[in-house]
Amino acid sequence: MPKPVTRYTGLLSAALLLGLLLGWSRAGSQINSSAYDLLLRFYPPPPGPSSSVILGIDEQTLNKHGGLLRMRQPLAQALEIVSRFQPAAVAIDIVLSEPGTEAENERLEQALASLPHVVLATHLSSSSMNPANASQTAAWEEPLKRFKKHAAALGHVHADPDNDGVNRQVLLAKVGGADRRWAMALEAYRLALGAASVRETASGLELGETFIPAPRVRDRPLRIRYANPSSPVNRLSVQDVIDHPDAAAIVKNRVVFAGVNVAGGIDRYLMTPYSFGMAMSGVEINANAYETLARGEFLLTVSESTELSVAVAAAVLIGLIFWRLTGNAAVGSALLVLIAAHGLPLFAFLSGYVFPVASLSAVTWFSAWTGGAYHYLVVRKQLGQAESQRDRYQRAVHYITHELRTPLTTIQGSSELISRYPLTDEKRKEIADTIHRESKRLGRMMETFLSVERLSAGQLELDCQEIDPSDLLTACVERCQTVAARKQIRVDYVPEPVEPLWGDREFLEYACYNLITNAVKYSPASTVITVRAWHETEKVCISVEDLGYGMDETEIKQIFGKFYRTKKALQSGVDGSGLGLAIVEEIVVRHGGSIEVESRVNHGSRFTLSLPSARRRAGQRIS
Ligand code: ADP
């Protein structure tokens, strides 16, 4: 059977593993996402002016100009107006790859030429999104050459929603086929800053003096901190700009994101943590990604090793709490760890980190339940043991008072007789003998109880000598004959020559006598008890075997405990204190020997003593 500490750590490890598996499952990652969304909504960026403007091809623009395919003309018109107000950069979130008509292309080209810092969109063609044939067809769909030549940069507009369809991040460096493209928001930010290029390090990107923490993992994802719903990114309608050119004044020194922005959505509309069922257009998401960069409000996901270490630490802490503390202290401390585990993701978020809540939470709960349940079971077991100990002591006290009362009553009665009545000398002597006998019995009983305590405390000195086992056993068997005869029990003992043993005669006689009287007490009438002695290497063995009630495994383990008596012994009505075997064991152990019990319920028992032989003792003295 594993030791309690091994079993306990095994259970805690299982709880830890289960918690981690759950935390890293699909359900766990959904919990992480939902908790993240909640934090994002609770702690939005402070309201304030945005550093970008969305130039939206909205419903009224589409209605006025005849649908999406006719958009280059009004877009060109609006961009011409925008160029007059000196925007910091203009990002056009429409992939201008379709041929279009010459007239509209000409106009758009001229508009682009008049703008400073233009970023044009490129995206992965849908066939290349299929992982099965990605290697053959992966390609970035690019704007027509005539537009591209006026662009200061190309930026990808690839969206990367999570499994639940919610767009929480933008990939700053998206690889498609053999090429890698920077995100449109990043390129717009670079141009607005006037940085010549994006410099890469392991921990992030450098745009001139500006650093963006985006570690080199999977396309360098950047979590988008969507603008405060109470102050969204500025919006301009293409049609409004055409109708009221002065409205475009707000683009001054701001980055313009031009794209389709229709309520209800027709082009790349995605859910965001703020959506609540209403999707957001791609252009608005890109503008929000830009705002995140411009505000420098970065949220970094903690590494998996940190997540694992914290979970292991929490499990160990809870394990120690339930191992070392008890009661309210244990429950209170475990609750504190639970609260801390649930507060950590919030604290991390406020410090700019995203800590996955599911694994830590699952691990702490599972560990707390495991630790708590284990603790409860152990405490309950200890309580049970204490109760049965108390019970046994009560029975012992009861027995002792009962046993003492008999000789005491006799002594009292007899002494009263002597003092009250004139008695003959003969009668007086008879009563005096009774008093003497009973007081001796009383003394013996007291002596027995005291000897156990003294023996266990090591206060009794053994007076050792060579003893002939046959002598010892013959004397014991003789003493038992009267008690055995009352139950018509035969005690078989054939003295044989056995090596002498080394011990205290009085104590060893007590031990053997006790085993034989027990055999008589716990056997039915008319059975046989066999006593044997033999020697083995340097030891002498004595066994007492009966055909009595026997005991089961659990009882055998307890019979050497003070005051323990089996159920059968209690029910049989046979007197006993449950002290005899405790004394026997103590005597044998003090002699450097051992005692063994074999027993089967209703078949009988055999008690075997192994004691040091006198030869061994002599050997020890010589060496
Ligand atoms: P007691 O005074 O009750 O006999 P012991 O310490 O000598 O106390 O024995 C403890 C218990 O072990 C007994 O109460 C009895 O239940 C059990 N026991 C001891 N010897 C035997 C035996 N030979 N057969 C069955 N049960 C025994």
Side-chain angles (χ1 to χ4, degrees):
M1 240 193 28
K3 282 187 178 157
V5 64
T6 324
R7 205 170 340 147
Y8 185 57
T9 32
L11 283 171
L12 276 176
S13 310
L16 171 70
L17 204 70
L18 202 69
L20 289 175
L21 284 179
L22 194 82
W24 290 337
S25 69
R26 221 186 151 92
S29 72
Q30 189 52 56
I31 292 172
N32 289 336
S33 300
S34 304
Y36 171 73
D37 291 352
L38 211 66
L39 287 172
L40 214 58
R41 282 184 224 132
F42 262 122
Y43 300 98
S50 51
S51 15
S52 58
V53 177
I54 298 168
L55 180 62
I57 297 171
D58 57 0
E59 255 160 289
Q60 57 162 328
T61 317
L62 288 174
N63 290 341
K64 188 92 185 240
H65 299 273
L68 264 181
L69 294 173
R70 301 265 175 280
M71 277 310 108
R72 284 185 191 171
Q73 146 82 20
L75 179 64
Q77 251 181 293
L79 289 178
E80 279 161 15
I81 299 166
V82 161
S83 72
R84 287 185 231 146
F85 294 97
Q86 296 151 5
V90 176
I92 299 176
D93 189 5
I94 301 168
V95 185
L96 299 167
S97 56
E98 302 295 327
T101 64
E102 182 50 33
E104 62 180 3
N105 284 351
E106 176 65 31
R107 181 131 194 215
L108 183 57
E109 203 186 326
Q110 276 174 16
L112 292 177
S114 68
L115 288 165
H117 303 324
V118 172
V119 185
L120 289 185
T122 171
H123 82 152
L124 284 169
S125 57
S126 43
S127 58
S128 64
M129 305 284 285
N130 180 353
N133 58 4
S135 58
Q136 306 150 25
T137 54
W140 289 100
E141 200 178 326
E142 294 199 348
L144 299 176
K145 278 213 177 75
R146 62 191 302 176
F147 300 134
K148 194 173 159 185
K149 70 176 186 222
H150 298 292
L154 290 185
H156 87 75
V157 291
H158 174 81
D160 185 52
D162 291 334
N163 286 332
D164 57 359
V166 177
N167 209 65
R168 298 184 176 88
Q169 59 191 15
V170 60
L171 302 175
L172 290 181
K174 175 71 189 158
V175 177
D179 297 323
R180 199 166 70 133
R181 292 282 152 82
W182 299 118
M184 171 173 261
L186 179 71
E187 284 291 27
Y189 185 47
R190 174 177 72 80
L191 294 174
L193 288 176
S197 63
V198 180
R199 233 177 62 78
E200 290 195 67
T201 68
S203 57
L205 305 173
E206 286 172 6
L207 307 177
E209 298 288 287
T210 312
F211 179 71
I212 300 165
R216 205 197 296 271
V217 281
R218 200 178 69 90
D219 297 338
R220 298 196 189 256
L222 170 87
R223 288 182 180 268
I224 305 174
R225 295 206 77 173
Y226 288 90
N228 194 311
S230 65
S231 65
V233 181
N234 302 307
R235 285 170 212 201
L236 278 179
S237 153
V238 165
Q239 190 54 47
D240 276 347
V241 171
I242 296 171
D243 294 343
H244 314 283
D246 286 347
I250 57 163
V251 303
K252 192 171 166 58
N253 294 333
R254 290 198 163 102
V255 172
V256 175
F257 280 84
V260 179
N261 195 23
V262 179
I266 47 174
D267 171 46
R268 295 193 297 113
Y269 272 68
L270 291 160
M271 293 298 165
T272 72
Y274 290 100
S275 287
F276 299 110
M278 281 285 289
M280 192 181 262
S281 66
V283 69
E284 194 168 348
I285 292 177
N286 276 324
N288 273 285
Y290 175 83
E291 291 294 327
T292 308
L293 292 169
R295 281 196 307 266
E297 285 184 332
F298 302 111
L299 279 173
L300 290 176
T301 310
V302 298
S303 67
E304 275 165 11
S305 58
T306 310
E307 182 187 353
L308 183 69
S309 317
V310 174
V312 171
V316 169
L317 195 62
I318 291 191
L320 283 176
I321 285 174
F322 282 111
W323 186 253
R324 303 306 297 256
L325 304 179
T326 51
N328 287 343
V331 175
S333 311
L335 267 178
L336 282 182
V337 177
L338 275 166
I339 292 171
H342 289 82
L344 182 65
L346 169 65
F347 178 73
F349 186 89
L350 296 176
S351 319
Y353 288 95
V354 177
F355 195 103
V357 69
S359 53
L360 182 59
S361 162
V363 165
T364 36
W365 275 108
F366 286 167
S367 312
W369 280 116
T370 312
Y374 192 85
H375 179 73
Y376 171 75
L377 290 180
V378 168
V379 168
R380 220 177 63 160
K381 197 170 154 200
Q382 281 170 352
L383 269 180
Q385 280 171 348
E387 247 168 50
S388 73
Q389 180 100 338
R390 203 174 50 226
D391 197 44
R392 270 189 276 141
Y393 268 95
Q394 270 171 359
R395 265 191 273 135
V397 169
H398 183 77
Y399 166 82
I400 292 166
T401 44
H402 173 81
E403 285 294 290
L404 293 184
R405 201 175 297 139
T406 323
L408 266 181
T409 320
T410 318
I411 293 169
Q412 271 171 0
S414 308
S415 48
E416 220 174 295
L417 277 179
I418 295 180
S419 60
R420 279 209 188 166
Y421 305 101
L423 298 169
T424 60
D425 279 355
E426 200 183 339
K427 197 70 190 164
R428 258 175 196 280
K429 186 168 179 310
E430 198 184 307
I431 292 174
D433 281 349
T434 309
I435 293 176
H436 182 65
R437 199 179 53 243
E438 289 302 313
S439 52
K440 265 177 91 178
R441 189 171 141 202
L442 205 60
R444 258 202 319 273
M445 278 166 60
M446 301 293 286
E447 196 56 35
T448 310
F449 293 126
L450 289 176
S451 349
V452 198
E453 297 310 320
R454 285 201 211 130
L455 262 175
S456 350
Q459 289 167 354
L460 270 190
E461 280 299 313
L462 298 181
D463 179 14
C464 290
Q465 54 182 303
E466 265 192 24
I467 305 169
D468 178 1
S470 313
D471 252 16
L472 180 81
L473 290 174
T474 312
C476 291
V477 171
E478 250 165 44
R479 271 175 70 195
C480 293
Q481 289 302 359
T482 342
V483 207
R486 274 191 222 135
K487 285 176 88 174
Q488 288 93 47
I489 287 177
R490 202 177 78 222
V491 183
D492 274 357
Y493 172 62
V494 183
E496 280 174 42
V498 179
E499 262 187 31
L501 51 82
W502 184 257
D504 183 310
R505 170 140 191 148
E506 205 178 319
F507 278 123
L508 289 181
E509 203 173 310
Y510 176 89
C512 296
Y513 177 76
N514 206 287
L515 293 183
I516 304 170
T517 45
N518 270 356
V520 175
K521 271 158 58 177
Y522 305 114
S523 290
S526 313
T527 48
V528 179
I529 292 166
T530 315
V531 179
R532 284 181 57 219
W534 68 97
H535 57 247
E536 288 177 9
T537 344
E538 298 196 333
K539 66 181 183 184
V540 174
C541 302
I542 294 170
S543 76
V544 177
E545 190 173 348
D546 63 53
L547 303 171
Y549 308 136
M551 291 161 282
D552 63 29
E553 285 286 314
T554 352
E555 290 171 331
I556 292 177
K557 280 190 200 142
Q558 306 189 65
I559 51 174
F560 296 104
K562 286 178 205 162
F563 303 117
Y564 176 81
R565 304 197 71 205
T566 61
K567 228 183 230 164
K568 195 116 192 188
L570 290 168
Q571 286 162 357
S572 68
V574 177
D575 266 349
S577 60
L579 278 171
L581 285 181
I583 303 176
V584 172
E585 192 189 32
E586 199 62 51
I587 291 173
V588 174
V589 170
R590 288 290 303 280
H591 276 81
S594 62
I595 181 165
E596 251 177 56
V597 192
E598 295 150 86
S599 187
R600 274 174 66 201
V601 175
N602 295 331
H603 280 76
S605 315
R606 179 165 56 207
F607 287 76
T608 310
L609 304 183
S610 298
L611 295 159
S613 71
R615 190 135 61 106
R616 175 170 146 201
R617 152 89 194 173
Q620 271 172 0
R621 260 187 309 194
I622 292 162
S623 61

